[in-house]
Amino acid sequence: FPYTTLFRSPTPASSALVPQPTQMIPTGQKLYFQVQKNPVTSKISVIFAGSAGEGSISSADIKVTHPDGSVTTGIILPLKGVTEITLDGSKETDRVEIIAKMSSGETYRVYDELVPFMRY
């Protein structure tokens, strides 16, 4: 008789939720990002609040890793006027990573933190 086998990927969610060290961008440059999780909807909003110094970013890749190992991604494109993105979060602690791509082509991991769900 026909039967179905369900295969689960062997990626342990625990290692996916371990933040990596962020990287220093070149001296004299600063990037400002705001990351917030909505306490009602658990949506995560990431806002590029601007930069200081010489370099600007051409894009920022946003990656949200949920406790079950699933991933939601998005991109911010400041030069095209896209400075904010909202991604699905969970009712638990999610990992949020921001990889900024400078207009010169280099990429930097500028944010990698666990964002908890705050219950009121």
Side-chain angles (χ1 to χ4, degrees):
F1 61 94
Y3 62 92
T4 307
T5 309
L6 178 66
F7 290 101
R8 291 189 60 82
S9 64
T11 347
S14 56
S15 68
L17 292 175
V18 177
Q20 302 294 311
T22 55
Q23 296 167 299
M24 295 295 293
I25 59 173
T27 309
Q29 297 179 14
K30 284 187 173 23
L31 302 176
Y32 301 100
F33 287 94
Q34 295 172 353
V35 177
Q36 295 173 323
K37 184 185 278 194
N38 184 303
V40 177
T41 64
S42 76
K43 299 258 187 206
I44 295 171
S45 67
V46 178
I47 301 167
F48 174 64
S51 59
E54 298 169 18
S56 63
I57 68 169
S58 58
S59 66
D61 290 314
I62 318 299
K63 178 179 171 185
V64 177
T65 305
H66 309 286
D68 65 2
S70 63
V71 171
T72 307
T73 60
I75 190 165
I76 288 178
L77 300 163
L79 302 178
K80 293 188 168 39
V82 181
T83 57
E84 183 174 346
I85 193 167
T86 302
L87 299 170
D88 287 333
S90 71
K91 301 269 188 202
E92 296 173 56
T93 297
D94 300 303
R95 176 183 172 193
V96 178
E97 299 168 74
I98 303 175
I99 308 294
K101 182 172 186 181
M102 309 302 282
S103 40
S104 56
E106 292 101 0
T107 58
Y108 297 95
R109 176 181 299 274
V110 295
Y111 186 95
D112 192 344
E113 292 185 24
L114 297 177
V115 180
F117 180 70
M118 299 295 194
R119 289 177 176 81
Y120 286 101

